[in-house]
Amino acid sequence: MKAKPFLIGLTTGIIGGAIAVLLSTPQSGQQFRTTLLSNSDSAKEKLQDVKHQLNNVKQSVGTLTNEAKNNIPQIINDLKQSITSFSQEIEPTKNNLQQEIEALQNSINEIEKNIAQFTDKKEKPQENAQV
């Protein structure tokens, strides 16, 4: 669709609508012009308010974007430092736990060997008794 025919049609429609309202209004011409002027002023004020609010939103989005650009890298860096620090702090505890687990595994192996030797000794006398 081309813009020129559309705009001509839109303008013709607006003018025709305005003429129809003027001719069919129950108010006198002076009252209608006064009402139209006050409504026009009210619409202009509302439009200015919308523009002002839009500018406020635009500024807020800009501020938020700048804050995010500036703060997110710092937050990421702080998080990396915290993780590194935490890893360094728990390293001795981790090593101690690994040593304790190895000691427990060695103890379990010794207990299993002792149990195996004990059961072997118990089975041998029973075998001699059966012979």
Side-chain angles (χ1 to χ4, degrees):
M1 175 168 40
K2 294 186 178 183
K4 189 174 180 180
F6 175 74
L7 292 175
I8 291 173
L10 182 64
T11 305
T12 305
I14 291 172
I15 292 172
I19 291 171
V21 167
L22 286 174
L23 295 176
S24 64
T25 183
Q27 298 175 341
S28 70
Q30 182 62 33
Q31 290 174 336
F32 180 73
R33 284 190 291 272
T34 305
T35 304
L36 187 62
L37 186 60
S38 97
N39 287 343
S40 173
D41 291 340
S42 175
K44 286 179 185 178
E45 289 174 9
K46 289 179 183 178
L47 183 60
Q48 289 298 326
D49 188 43
V50 167
K51 285 182 182 178
H52 180 71
Q53 289 178 3
L54 183 61
N55 285 335
N56 287 343
V57 169
K58 198 175 187 182
Q59 288 174 353
S60 296
V61 168
T63 303
L64 179 63
T65 302
N66 289 335
E67 290 290 326
K69 285 180 183 177
N70 294 335
N71 290 337
I72 287 179
Q74 181 64 33
I75 291 169
I76 291 171
N77 190 29
D78 290 347
L79 187 59
K80 285 180 182 178
Q81 289 177 352
S82 295
I83 290 170
T84 303
S85 174
F86 177 73
S87 297
Q88 291 172 352
E89 288 175 8
I90 67 166
E91 189 66 31
T93 305
K94 179 182 146 188
N95 291 336
N96 288 340
L97 286 174
Q98 286 177 339
Q99 290 173 356
E100 288 178 17
I101 289 171
E102 288 175 8
L104 285 172
Q105 287 175 339
N106 291 337
S107 297
I108 289 171
N109 288 338
E110 288 180 29
I111 291 171
E112 287 175 347
K113 286 179 186 177
N114 289 339
I115 290 174
Q117 289 175 356
F118 181 71
T119 55
D120 285 345
K121 287 180 182 179
K122 264 188 147 180
E123 289 177 3
K124 286 183 182 178
Q126 289 175 354
E127 289 175 4
N128 291 339
Q130 291 177 357
V131 175

